[in-house]
Amino acid sequence: MKKLLFISVLFLCIQAAFGQAKTVTGTVKSKSDGIPIPGVSVVIQGTNNGTTTDFDGHYSISVASGRTLSFSYMGYETQSIKVESQQKIDVGLSESTSKLDEVVVVGFASQKKANLTGAVAKVDVKKALGSVPITDITRGLQGTTPGLNITFN
């Protein structure tokens, strides 16, 4: 009976030791040129726990051994790394041009192509305005594109 009790307590102690979270740090860089990438999402898979890299590409996150960290950033391939005994994990992300196809830049912001409502038009200023002397670019663009409404205060 004592042996069974001893083995049970030993098993519970081992489980508690392996299940504890530890702090993992590292740097995320671009594989192609080695430049640190700020704003990379570092998430523990299967949870909502995560962080982002700072301006120099550094991150710090508390994670238990055996869990998987997922590193993702727009324009780069997502990479997953399983945490074992390491306390420092440096990651190199590969560029992915196929994921940039889903993004449309609108003014000073960006949206996914699926979420874009409305029209996006491109104006060739050199062709539309040519050598017409104008003092204000917004007044010059008026009438060059169908549906473009410009109001002046």
Side-chain angles (χ1 to χ4, degrees):
M1 185 69 176
K2 286 185 179 182
K3 285 183 181 182
L4 183 61
L5 181 63
F6 176 73
I7 291 172
S8 299
V9 169
L10 183 63
F11 180 73
L12 290 174
C13 290
I14 291 172
Q15 283 292 95
F18 282 109
Q20 291 179 349
K22 61 182 174 183
T23 301
V24 175
T25 60
T27 306
V28 181
K29 296 182 179 182
S30 173
K31 257 189 187 175
S32 61
D33 51 18
I35 296 175
I37 308 172
V40 174
S41 296
V42 182
V43 179
I44 302 169
Q45 283 186 352
T47 70
N48 292 331
N49 300 335
T51 186
T52 58
T53 58
D54 64 9
F55 185 73
D56 296 321
H58 300 292
Y59 72 92
S60 176
I61 190 167
S62 181
V63 61
S65 293
R67 300 302 302 253
T68 303
L69 291 178
S70 177
F71 300 85
S72 61
Y73 189 71
M74 186 185 322
Y76 288 84
E77 292 290 335
T78 300
Q79 187 171 348
S80 299
I81 297 177
K82 189 169 184 176
V83 177
E84 298 296 339
S85 62
Q86 64 267 56
Q87 291 183 332
K88 182 172 180 163
I89 301 175
D90 292 329
V91 179
L93 294 182
S94 302
E95 294 179 8
S96 169
T97 55
S98 63
K99 294 193 178 192
L100 288 178
D101 219 14
E102 303 170 4
V103 177
V104 177
V105 177
V106 182
F108 296 105
S110 61
Q111 296 181 359
K112 286 188 176 181
K113 193 181 262 186
N115 296 338
L116 183 63
T117 57
V120 176
K122 181 178 177 183
V123 177
D124 185 2
V125 176
K126 190 173 185 178
K127 187 176 179 182
L129 302 178
S131 61
V132 177
I134 56 170
T135 58
D136 187 9
I137 189 73
T138 55
R139 292 185 195 279
L141 287 174
Q142 192 167 11
T144 60
T145 304
L148 176 64
N149 298 323
I150 300 176
T151 57
F152 302 98
N153 293 336

